[in-house]
Amino acid sequence: MSRTWRPVLWILAAIAAVHFGLAWRFPELAAASAKGGLRGFGQILAILPAVLVLLALFDAWVPRAVVERSLGPGSGLRGVAFAMLLGTAAAGPIYAAFPLGLSLREKGARTANLVIFLGAWATIKVPMLMLESAFLGPCFALIRLALTVPGILGCGFLMERLERRPAR
């Protein structure tokens, strides 16, 4: 067994142990928890093949030079804006963004731009803003957007700065 799978197996074993412990004391709660976990896993498995196909197409069609120019260390403010736009226009669950983020990183994208892309994907999608405006009002949506964008930008640049620190 490779070293990369060991933590995954430990996590799965811990989850199974918790479920067995729950089943002993609270069988209904354990059954509901297991059912919800399996439902979520099924949703991931339903989306994952399409994500992997799109990722393979991205790897084949988008040259490294394009990613470096658009999102790399020399992209500056234009790269930050592009990362934000890319994340905002994306569709799908956040776990679909992580393989794409890894591919962008391997093609030379800057860490701050990757964090900004993931943050925008998770919090600032256009359909989400439209739903917020419809249900909670445009004032709420704009205030949340005004508070979210600086947080995402701050997290991106902080993560990049922390990444450069030498290990102790």
Side-chain angles (χ1 to χ4, degrees), residues 9-47:
L9 293 177
W10 278 108
I11 291 169
L12 289 175
I15 291 170
V18 167
H19 276 96
F20 283 126
L22 278 175
W24 180 66
R25 182 79 170 107
F26 306 104
E28 300 84 19
L29 182 61
S33 175
K35 186 177 177 183
L38 289 173
R39 189 179 322 115
F41 187 67
Q43 289 173 348
I44 291 172
L45 286 180
I47 292 174

PDB file of all heavy atoms in Angstrom, residues 9-47:
ATOM      1  N   LEU A   9      -7.193   5.723   4.526  1.00  0.00           N
ATOM      2  CA  LEU A   9      -7.697   4.525   5.189  1.00  0.00           C
ATOM      3  C   LEU A   9      -7.910   4.747   6.680  1.00  0.00           C
ATOM      4  O   LEU A   9      -8.868   4.230   7.265  1.00  0.00           O
ATOM      5  CB  LEU A   9      -6.741   3.358   4.939  1.00  0.00           C
ATOM      6  CG  LEU A   9      -6.671   2.878   3.481  1.00  0.00           C
ATOM      7  CD1 LEU A   9      -5.646   1.778   3.316  1.00  0.00           C
ATOM      8  CD2 LEU A   9      -8.037   2.416   3.002  1.00  0.00           C
ATOM      9  N   TRP A  10      -7.040   5.543   7.295  1.00  0.00           N
ATOM     10  CA  TRP A  10      -7.228   5.863   8.715  1.00  0.00           C
ATOM     11  C   TRP A  10      -8.502   6.672   8.924  1.00  0.00           C
ATOM     12  O   TRP A  10      -9.242   6.458   9.887  1.00  0.00           O
ATOM     13  CB  TRP A  10      -6.016   6.619   9.277  1.00  0.00           C
ATOM     14  CG  TRP A  10      -4.902   5.710   9.668  1.00  0.00           C
ATOM     15  CD1 TRP A  10      -3.710   5.539   9.027  1.00  0.00           C
ATOM     16  CD2 TRP A  10      -4.871   4.820  10.790  1.00  0.00           C
ATOM     17  NE1 TRP A  10      -2.947   4.612   9.679  1.00  0.00           N
ATOM     18  CE2 TRP A  10      -3.639   4.150  10.769  1.00  0.00           C
ATOM     19  CE3 TRP A  10      -5.774   4.523  11.806  1.00  0.00           C
ATOM     20  CZ2 TRP A  10      -3.284   3.206  11.723  1.00  0.00           C
ATOM     21  CZ3 TRP A  10      -5.418   3.581  12.757  1.00  0.00           C
ATOM     22  CH2 TRP A  10      -4.191   2.940  12.706  1.00  0.00           C
ATOM     23  N   ILE A  11      -8.750   7.612   8.043  1.00  0.00           N
ATOM     24  CA  ILE A  11      -9.974   8.420   8.150  1.00  0.00           C
ATOM     25  C   ILE A  11     -11.209   7.543   7.960  1.00  0.00           C
ATOM     26  O   ILE A  11     -12.183   7.647   8.716  1.00  0.00           O
ATOM     27  CB  ILE A  11      -9.940   9.586   7.137  1.00  0.00           C
ATOM     28  CG1 ILE A  11      -8.874  10.595   7.546  1.00  0.00           C
ATOM     29  CG2 ILE A  11     -11.311  10.250   7.017  1.00  0.00           C
ATOM     30  CD1 ILE A  11      -8.576  11.643   6.510  1.00  0.00           C
ATOM     31  N   LEU A  12     -11.176   6.651   6.966  1.00  0.00           N
ATOM     32  CA  LEU A  12     -12.310   5.748   6.752  1.00  0.00           C
ATOM     33  C   LEU A  12     -12.521   4.827   7.953  1.00  0.00           C
ATOM     34  O   LEU A  12     -13.660   4.564   8.355  1.00  0.00           O
ATOM     35  CB  LEU A  12     -12.101   4.933   5.479  1.00  0.00           C
ATOM     36  CG  LEU A  12     -12.229   5.699   4.164  1.00  0.00           C
ATOM     37  CD1 LEU A  12     -11.873   4.809   2.986  1.00  0.00           C
ATOM     38  CD2 LEU A  12     -13.624   6.270   4.011  1.00  0.00           C
ATOM     39  N   ALA A  13     -11.434   4.345   8.530  1.00  0.00           N
ATOM     40  CA  ALA A  13     -11.543   3.493   9.716  1.00  0.00           C
ATOM     41  C   ALA A  13     -12.134   4.265  10.895  1.00  0.00           C
ATOM     42  O   ALA A  13     -12.969   3.736  11.641  1.00  0.00           O
ATOM     43  CB  ALA A  13     -10.170   2.922  10.077  1.00  0.00           C
ATOM     44  N   ALA A  14     -11.742   5.527  11.059  1.00  0.00           N
ATOM     45  CA  ALA A  14     -12.295   6.345  12.148  1.00  0.00           C
ATOM     46  C   ALA A  14     -13.782   6.590  11.936  1.00  0.00           C
ATOM     47  O   ALA A  14     -14.574   6.516  12.892  1.00  0.00           O
ATOM     48  CB  ALA A  14     -11.539   7.670  12.238  1.00  0.00           C
ATOM     49  N   ILE A  15     -14.186   6.859  10.711  1.00  0.00           N
ATOM     50  CA  ILE A  15     -15.605   7.065  10.408  1.00  0.00           C
ATOM     51  C   ILE A  15     -16.400   5.794  10.692  1.00  0.00           C
ATOM     52  O   ILE A  15     -17.479   5.831  11.295  1.00  0.00           O
ATOM     53  CB  ILE A  15     -15.797   7.531   8.943  1.00  0.00           C
ATOM     54  CG1 ILE A  15     -15.239   8.945   8.773  1.00  0.00           C
ATOM     55  CG2 ILE A  15     -17.266   7.469   8.533  1.00  0.00           C
ATOM     56  CD1 ILE A  15     -15.167   9.404   7.330  1.00  0.00           C
ATOM     57  N   ALA A  16     -15.861   4.659  10.277  1.00  0.00           N
ATOM     58  CA  ALA A  16     -16.540   3.378  10.538  1.00  0.00           C
ATOM     59  C   ALA A  16     -16.644   3.126  12.043  1.00  0.00           C
ATOM     60  O   ALA A  16     -17.689   2.668  12.535  1.00  0.00           O
ATOM     61  CB  ALA A  16     -15.796   2.245   9.849  1.00  0.00           C
ATOM     62  N   ALA A  17     -15.584   3.424  12.792  1.00  0.00           N
ATOM     63  CA  ALA A  17     -15.615   3.215  14.244  1.00  0.00           C
ATOM     64  C   ALA A  17     -16.672   4.100  14.903  1.00  0.00           C
ATOM     65  O   ALA A  17     -17.401   3.643  15.791  1.00  0.00           O
ATOM     66  CB  ALA A  17     -14.229   3.497  14.836  1.00  0.00           C
ATOM     67  N   VAL A  18     -16.766   5.350  14.456  1.00  0.00           N
ATOM     68  CA  VAL A  18     -17.789   6.246  15.004  1.00  0.00           C
ATOM     69  C   VAL A  18     -19.189   5.715  14.694  1.00  0.00           C
ATOM     70  O   VAL A  18     -20.076   5.721  15.555  1.00  0.00           O
ATOM     71  CB  VAL A  18     -17.601   7.685  14.469  1.00  0.00           C
ATOM     72  CG1 VAL A  18     -18.808   8.551  14.765  1.00  0.00           C
ATOM     73  CG2 VAL A  18     -16.344   8.295  15.050  1.00  0.00           C
ATOM     74  N   HIS A  19     -19.384   5.229  13.485  1.00  0.00           N
ATOM     75  CA  HIS A  19     -20.694   4.693  13.122  1.00  0.00           C
ATOM     76  C   HIS A  19     -21.040   3.439  13.934  1.00  0.00           C
ATOM     77  O   HIS A  19     -22.182   3.253  14.343  1.00  0.00           O
ATOM     78  CB  HIS A  19     -20.786   4.420  11.623  1.00  0.00           C
ATOM     79  CG  HIS A  19     -21.137   5.634  10.844  1.00  0.00           C
ATOM     80  ND1 HIS A  19     -20.195   6.425  10.250  1.00  0.00           N
ATOM     81  CD2 HIS A  19     -22.335   6.214  10.602  1.00  0.00           C
ATOM     82  CE1 HIS A  19     -20.794   7.436   9.664  1.00  0.00           C
ATOM     83  NE2 HIS A  19     -22.085   7.327   9.855  1.00  0.00           N
ATOM     84  N   PHE A  20     -20.054   2.573  14.139  1.00  0.00           N
ATOM     85  CA  PHE A  20     -20.314   1.389  14.951  1.00  0.00           C
ATOM     86  C   PHE A  20     -20.624   1.783  16.392  1.00  0.00           C
ATOM     87  O   PHE A  20     -21.500   1.203  17.029  1.00  0.00           O
ATOM     88  CB  PHE A  20     -19.145   0.412  14.892  1.00  0.00           C
ATOM     89  CG  PHE A  20     -19.089  -0.374  13.613  1.00  0.00           C
ATOM     90  CD1 PHE A  20     -17.941  -0.383  12.852  1.00  0.00           C
ATOM     91  CD2 PHE A  20     -20.196  -1.088  13.162  1.00  0.00           C
ATOM     92  CE1 PHE A  20     -17.881  -1.101  11.661  1.00  0.00           C
ATOM     93  CE2 PHE A  20     -20.154  -1.795  11.976  1.00  0.00           C
ATOM     94  CZ  PHE A  20     -18.990  -1.806  11.220  1.00  0.00           C
ATOM     95  N   GLY A  21     -19.907   2.781  16.903  1.00  0.00           N
ATOM     96  CA  GLY A  21     -20.191   3.272  18.245  1.00  0.00           C
ATOM     97  C   GLY A  21     -21.587   3.879  18.345  1.00  0.00           C
ATOM     98  O   GLY A  21     -22.312   3.653  19.321  1.00  0.00           O
ATOM     99  N   LEU A  22     -21.965   4.634  17.331  1.00  0.00           N
ATOM    100  CA  LEU A  22     -23.314   5.199  17.289  1.00  0.00           C
ATOM    101  C   LEU A  22     -24.378   4.108  17.196  1.00  0.00           C
ATOM    102  O   LEU A  22     -25.423   4.189  17.839  1.00  0.00           O
ATOM    103  CB  LEU A  22     -23.462   6.146  16.098  1.00  0.00           C
ATOM    104  CG  LEU A  22     -22.963   7.572  16.250  1.00  0.00           C
ATOM    105  CD1 LEU A  22     -23.088   8.312  14.927  1.00  0.00           C
ATOM    106  CD2 LEU A  22     -23.741   8.301  17.323  1.00  0.00           C
ATOM    107  N   ALA A  23     -24.107   3.109  16.379  1.00  0.00           N
ATOM    108  CA  ALA A  23     -25.077   2.033  16.175  1.00  0.00           C
ATOM    109  C   ALA A  23     -25.326   1.275  17.470  1.00  0.00           C
ATOM    110  O   ALA A  23     -26.441   0.808  17.722  1.00  0.00           O
ATOM    111  CB  ALA A  23     -24.590   1.088  15.084  1.00  0.00           C
ATOM    112  N   TRP A  24     -24.326   1.167  18.287  1.00  0.00           N
ATOM    113  CA  TRP A  24     -24.482   0.453  19.555  1.00  0.00           C
ATOM    114  C   TRP A  24     -25.405   1.206  20.504  1.00  0.00           C
ATOM    115  O   TRP A  24     -26.246   0.633  21.161  1.00  0.00           O
ATOM    116  CB  TRP A  24     -23.091   0.240  20.168  1.00  0.00           C
ATOM    117  CG  TRP A  24     -23.124  -0.471  21.475  1.00  0.00           C
ATOM    118  CD1 TRP A  24     -23.515  -1.767  21.698  1.00  0.00           C
ATOM    119  CD2 TRP A  24     -22.781   0.062  22.735  1.00  0.00           C
ATOM    120  NE1 TRP A  24     -23.420  -2.055  23.015  1.00  0.00           N
ATOM    121  CE2 TRP A  24     -22.960  -0.938  23.689  1.00  0.00           C
ATOM    122  CE3 TRP A  24     -22.312   1.305  23.157  1.00  0.00           C
ATOM    123  CZ2 TRP A  24     -22.712  -0.748  25.029  1.00  0.00           C
ATOM    124  CZ3 TRP A  24     -22.053   1.477  24.503  1.00  0.00           C
ATOM    125  CH2 TRP A  24     -22.260   0.466  25.417  1.00  0.00           C
ATOM    126  N   ARG A  25     -25.237   2.543  20.559  1.00  0.00           N
ATOM    127  CA  ARG A  25     -26.008   3.349  21.519  1.00  0.00           C
ATOM    128  C   ARG A  25     -27.242   4.010  20.882  1.00  0.00           C
ATOM    129  O   ARG A  25     -28.285   4.096  21.488  1.00  0.00           O
ATOM    130  CB  ARG A  25     -25.077   4.430  22.091  1.00  0.00           C
ATOM    131  CG  ARG A  25     -25.694   5.309  23.116  1.00  0.00           C
ATOM    132  CD  ARG A  25     -25.747   4.627  24.481  1.00  0.00           C
ATOM    133  NE  ARG A  25     -26.128   5.594  25.492  1.00  0.00           N
ATOM    134  CZ  ARG A  25     -27.319   5.601  26.066  1.00  0.00           C
ATOM    135  NH1 ARG A  25     -28.213   4.703  25.741  1.00  0.00           N
ATOM    136  NH2 ARG A  25     -27.607   6.497  26.971  1.00  0.00           N
ATOM    137  N   PHE A  26     -27.081   4.505  19.621  1.00  0.00           N
ATOM    138  CA  PHE A  26     -28.170   5.219  18.919  1.00  0.00           C
ATOM    139  C   PHE A  26     -28.325   4.646  17.509  1.00  0.00           C
ATOM    140  O   PHE A  26     -27.856   5.232  16.532  1.00  0.00           O
ATOM    141  CB  PHE A  26     -27.852   6.714  18.811  1.00  0.00           C
ATOM    142  CG  PHE A  26     -27.543   7.385  20.113  1.00  0.00           C
ATOM    143  CD1 PHE A  26     -26.239   7.704  20.454  1.00  0.00           C
ATOM    144  CD2 PHE A  26     -28.563   7.697  21.001  1.00  0.00           C
ATOM    145  CE1 PHE A  26     -25.948   8.325  21.655  1.00  0.00           C
ATOM    146  CE2 PHE A  26     -28.280   8.325  22.198  1.00  0.00           C
ATOM    147  CZ  PHE A  26     -26.962   8.637  22.536  1.00  0.00           C
ATOM    148  N   PRO A  27     -28.991   3.529  17.358  1.00  0.00           N
ATOM    149  CA  PRO A  27     -29.061   2.879  16.035  1.00  0.00           C
ATOM    150  C   PRO A  27     -29.751   3.730  14.963  1.00  0.00           C
ATOM    151  O   PRO A  27     -29.328   3.713  13.806  1.00  0.00           O
ATOM    152  CB  PRO A  27     -29.842   1.586  16.298  1.00  0.00           C
ATOM    153  CG  PRO A  27     -30.334   1.656  17.687  1.00  0.00           C
ATOM    154  CD  PRO A  27     -29.634   2.758  18.394  1.00  0.00           C
ATOM    155  N   GLU A  28     -30.763   4.497  15.325  1.00  0.00           N
ATOM    156  CA  GLU A  28     -31.463   5.321  14.325  1.00  0.00           C
ATOM    157  C   GLU A  28     -30.551   6.439  13.815  1.00  0.00           C
ATOM    158  O   GLU A  28     -30.527   6.746  12.624  1.00  0.00           O
ATOM    159  CB  GLU A  28     -32.747   5.942  14.908  1.00  0.00           C
ATOM    160  CG  GLU A  28     -33.767   4.947  15.388  1.00  0.00           C
ATOM    161  CD  GLU A  28     -33.483   4.475  16.813  1.00  0.00           C
ATOM    162  OE1 GLU A  28     -32.742   5.160  17.554  1.00  0.00           O
ATOM    163  OE2 GLU A  28     -33.987   3.400  17.177  1.00  0.00           O
ATOM    164  N   LEU A  29     -29.812   7.040  14.732  1.00  0.00           N
ATOM    165  CA  LEU A  29     -28.891   8.112  14.356  1.00  0.00           C
ATOM    166  C   LEU A  29     -27.782   7.579  13.461  1.00  0.00           C
ATOM    167  O   LEU A  29     -27.412   8.211  12.471  1.00  0.00           O
ATOM    168  CB  LEU A  29     -28.304   8.756  15.611  1.00  0.00           C
ATOM    169  CG  LEU A  29     -27.359   9.936  15.407  1.00  0.00           C
ATOM    170  CD1 LEU A  29     -28.077  11.083  14.703  1.00  0.00           C
ATOM    171  CD2 LEU A  29     -26.803  10.399  16.742  1.00  0.00           C
ATOM    172  N   ALA A  30     -27.263   6.407  13.782  1.00  0.00           N
ATOM    173  CA  ALA A  30     -26.204   5.799  12.966  1.00  0.00           C
ATOM    174  C   ALA A  30     -26.714   5.475  11.569  1.00  0.00           C
ATOM    175  O   ALA A  30     -26.023   5.698  10.572  1.00  0.00           O
ATOM    176  CB  ALA A  30     -25.662   4.550  13.644  1.00  0.00           C
ATOM    177  N   ALA A  31     -27.931   4.956  11.489  1.00  0.00           N
ATOM    178  CA  ALA A  31     -28.508   4.620  10.182  1.00  0.00           C
ATOM    179  C   ALA A  31     -28.715   5.885   9.347  1.00  0.00           C
ATOM    180  O   ALA A  31     -28.396   5.907   8.150  1.00  0.00           O
ATOM    181  CB  ALA A  31     -29.820   3.872  10.363  1.00  0.00           C
ATOM    182  N   ALA A  32     -29.230   6.948   9.961  1.00  0.00           N
ATOM    183  CA  ALA A  32     -29.438   8.205   9.230  1.00  0.00           C
ATOM    184  C   ALA A  32     -28.107   8.798   8.776  1.00  0.00           C
ATOM    185  O   ALA A  32     -27.992   9.304   7.655  1.00  0.00           O
ATOM    186  CB  ALA A  32     -30.194   9.201  10.100  1.00  0.00           C
ATOM    187  N   SER A  33     -27.106   8.732   9.636  1.00  0.00           N
ATOM    188  CA  SER A  33     -25.783   9.265   9.290  1.00  0.00           C
ATOM    189  C   SER A  33     -25.154   8.480   8.143  1.00  0.00           C
ATOM    190  O   SER A  33     -24.604   9.053   7.204  1.00  0.00           O
ATOM    191  CB  SER A  33     -24.877   9.229  10.521  1.00  0.00           C
ATOM    192  OG  SER A  33     -23.578   9.624  10.191  1.00  0.00           O
ATOM    193  N   ALA A  34     -25.221   7.158   8.229  1.00  0.00           N
ATOM    194  CA  ALA A  34     -24.662   6.316   7.161  1.00  0.00           C
ATOM    195  C   ALA A  34     -25.393   6.552   5.845  1.00  0.00           C
ATOM    196  O   ALA A  34     -24.773   6.639   4.780  1.00  0.00           O
ATOM    197  CB  ALA A  34     -24.741   4.849   7.557  1.00  0.00           C
ATOM    198  N   LYS A  35     -26.720   6.680   5.913  1.00  0.00           N
ATOM    199  CA  LYS A  35     -27.515   6.927   4.704  1.00  0.00           C
ATOM    200  C   LYS A  35     -27.128   8.264   4.064  1.00  0.00           C
ATOM    201  O   LYS A  35     -26.946   8.359   2.849  1.00  0.00           O
ATOM    202  CB  LYS A  35     -28.994   6.915   5.050  1.00  0.00           C
ATOM    203  CG  LYS A  35     -29.908   7.025   3.867  1.00  0.00           C
ATOM    204  CD  LYS A  35     -31.361   6.934   4.296  1.00  0.00           C
ATOM    205  CE  LYS A  35     -32.294   7.104   3.122  1.00  0.00           C
ATOM    206  NZ  LYS A  35     -33.702   7.078   3.535  1.00  0.00           N
ATOM    207  N   GLY A  36     -26.982   9.305   4.888  1.00  0.00           N
ATOM    208  CA  GLY A  36     -26.573  10.613   4.363  1.00  0.00           C
ATOM    209  C   GLY A  36     -25.170  10.579   3.774  1.00  0.00           C
ATOM    210  O   GLY A  36     -24.921  11.172   2.721  1.00  0.00           O
ATOM    211  N   GLY A  37     -24.263   9.882   4.430  1.00  0.00           N
ATOM    212  CA  GLY A  37     -22.901   9.769   3.912  1.00  0.00           C
ATOM    213  C   GLY A  37     -22.847   9.039   2.584  1.00  0.00           C
ATOM    214  O   GLY A  37     -22.151   9.452   1.658  1.00  0.00           O
ATOM    215  N   LEU A  38     -23.609   7.953   2.477  1.00  0.00           N
ATOM    216  CA  LEU A  38     -23.640   7.202   1.217  1.00  0.00           C
ATOM    217  C   LEU A  38     -24.302   8.009   0.104  1.00  0.00           C
ATOM    218  O   LEU A  38     -23.879   7.942  -1.053  1.00  0.00           O
ATOM    219  CB  LEU A  38     -24.359   5.875   1.418  1.00  0.00           C
ATOM    220  CG  LEU A  38     -23.601   4.848   2.255  1.00  0.00           C
ATOM    221  CD1 LEU A  38     -24.476   3.628   2.524  1.00  0.00           C
ATOM    222  CD2 LEU A  38     -22.296   4.455   1.587  1.00  0.00           C
ATOM    223  N   ARG A  39     -25.316   8.803   0.450  1.00  0.00           N
ATOM    224  CA  ARG A  39     -25.968   9.661  -0.549  1.00  0.00           C
ATOM    225  C   ARG A  39     -24.976  10.701  -1.080  1.00  0.00           C
ATOM    226  O   ARG A  39     -24.880  10.929  -2.286  1.00  0.00           O
ATOM    227  CB  ARG A  39     -27.188  10.345   0.051  1.00  0.00           C
ATOM    228  CG  ARG A  39     -28.025  11.077  -0.979  1.00  0.00           C
ATOM    229  CD  ARG A  39     -29.269  11.756  -0.401  1.00  0.00           C
ATOM    230  NE  ARG A  39     -29.944  11.003   0.633  1.00  0.00           N
ATOM    231  CZ  ARG A  39     -30.045  11.412   1.903  1.00  0.00           C
ATOM    232  NH1 ARG A  39     -29.518  12.554   2.283  1.00  0.00           N
ATOM    233  NH2 ARG A  39     -30.680  10.686   2.789  1.00  0.00           N
ATOM    234  N   GLY A  40     -24.233  11.327  -0.162  1.00  0.00           N
ATOM    235  CA  GLY A  40     -23.226  12.305  -0.581  1.00  0.00           C
ATOM    236  C   GLY A  40     -22.137  11.680  -1.435  1.00  0.00           C
ATOM    237  O   GLY A  40     -21.701  12.256  -2.436  1.00  0.00           O
ATOM    238  N   PHE A  41     -21.698  10.495  -1.049  1.00  0.00           N
ATOM    239  CA  PHE A  41     -20.678   9.790  -1.831  1.00  0.00           C
ATOM    240  C   PHE A  41     -21.206   9.456  -3.220  1.00  0.00           C
ATOM    241  O   PHE A  41     -20.481   9.565  -4.210  1.00  0.00           O
ATOM    242  CB  PHE A  41     -20.251   8.518  -1.083  1.00  0.00           C
ATOM    243  CG  PHE A  41     -19.097   7.808  -1.699  1.00  0.00           C
ATOM    244  CD1 PHE A  41     -17.837   8.386  -1.720  1.00  0.00           C
ATOM    245  CD2 PHE A  41     -19.255   6.558  -2.259  1.00  0.00           C
ATOM    246  CE1 PHE A  41     -16.769   7.744  -2.287  1.00  0.00           C
ATOM    247  CE2 PHE A  41     -18.197   5.895  -2.835  1.00  0.00           C
ATOM    248  CZ  PHE A  41     -16.948   6.480  -2.846  1.00  0.00           C
ATOM    249  N   GLY A  42     -22.484   9.076  -3.298  1.00  0.00           N
ATOM    250  CA  GLY A  42     -23.094   8.797  -4.604  1.00  0.00           C
ATOM    251  C   GLY A  42     -23.161  10.042  -5.484  1.00  0.00           C
ATOM    252  O   GLY A  42     -22.939   9.961  -6.697  1.00  0.00           O
ATOM    253  N   GLN A  43     -23.437  11.196  -4.882  1.00  0.00           N
ATOM    254  CA  GLN A  43     -23.467  12.442  -5.655  1.00  0.00           C
ATOM    255  C   GLN A  43     -22.083  12.768  -6.205  1.00  0.00           C
ATOM    256  O   GLN A  43     -21.952  13.216  -7.350  1.00  0.00           O
ATOM    257  CB  GLN A  43     -23.971  13.588  -4.782  1.00  0.00           C
ATOM    258  CG  GLN A  43     -25.433  13.503  -4.453  1.00  0.00           C
ATOM    259  CD  GLN A  43     -25.865  14.564  -3.454  1.00  0.00           C
ATOM    260  OE1 GLN A  43     -25.049  15.237  -2.835  1.00  0.00           O
ATOM    261  NE2 GLN A  43     -27.172  14.709  -3.278  1.00  0.00           N
ATOM    262  N   ILE A  44     -21.063  12.553  -5.385  1.00  0.00           N
ATOM    263  CA  ILE A  44     -19.695  12.797  -5.847  1.00  0.00           C
ATOM    264  C   ILE A  44     -19.355  11.862  -7.001  1.00  0.00           C
ATOM    265  O   ILE A  44     -18.803  12.287  -8.020  1.00  0.00           O
ATOM    266  CB  ILE A  44     -18.687  12.639  -4.696  1.00  0.00           C
ATOM    267  CG1 ILE A  44     -18.863  13.769  -3.693  1.00  0.00           C
ATOM    268  CG2 ILE A  44     -17.254  12.604  -5.215  1.00  0.00           C
ATOM    269  CD1 ILE A  44     -18.061  13.601  -2.425  1.00  0.00           C
ATOM    270  N   LEU A  45     -19.687  10.585  -6.862  1.00  0.00           N
ATOM    271  CA  LEU A  45     -19.396   9.625  -7.925  1.00  0.00           C
ATOM    272  C   LEU A  45     -20.152   9.931  -9.215  1.00  0.00           C
ATOM    273  O   LEU A  45     -19.671   9.619 -10.305  1.00  0.00           O
ATOM    274  CB  LEU A  45     -19.710   8.207  -7.458  1.00  0.00           C
ATOM    275  CG  LEU A  45     -18.737   7.591  -6.462  1.00  0.00           C
ATOM    276  CD1 LEU A  45     -19.173   6.180  -6.092  1.00  0.00           C
ATOM    277  CD2 LEU A  45     -17.321   7.580  -7.009  1.00  0.00           C
ATOM    278  N   ALA A  46     -21.332  10.535  -9.103  1.00  0.00           N
ATOM    279  CA  ALA A  46     -22.100  10.877 -10.298  1.00  0.00           C
ATOM    280  C   ALA A  46     -21.461  12.029 -11.073  1.00  0.00           C
ATOM    281  O   ALA A  46     -21.532  12.077 -12.300  1.00  0.00           O
ATOM    282  CB  ALA A  46     -23.533  11.246  -9.911  1.00  0.00           C
ATOM    283  N   ILE A  47     -20.803  12.947 -10.383  1.00  0.00           N
ATOM    284  CA  ILE A  47     -20.221  14.122 -11.028  1.00  0.00           C
ATOM    285  C   ILE A  47     -18.768  13.904 -11.427  1.00  0.00           C
ATOM    286  O   ILE A  47     -18.284  14.458 -12.416  1.00  0.00           O
ATOM    287  CB  ILE A  47     -20.350  15.341 -10.095  1.00  0.00           C
ATOM    288  CG1 ILE A  47     -21.810  15.723  -9.951  1.00  0.00           C
ATOM    289  CG2 ILE A  47     -19.552  16.532 -10.594  1.00  0.00           C
ATOM    290  CD1 ILE A  47     -22.077  16.810  -8.949  1.00  0.00           C
TER     291      ILE A  47
END
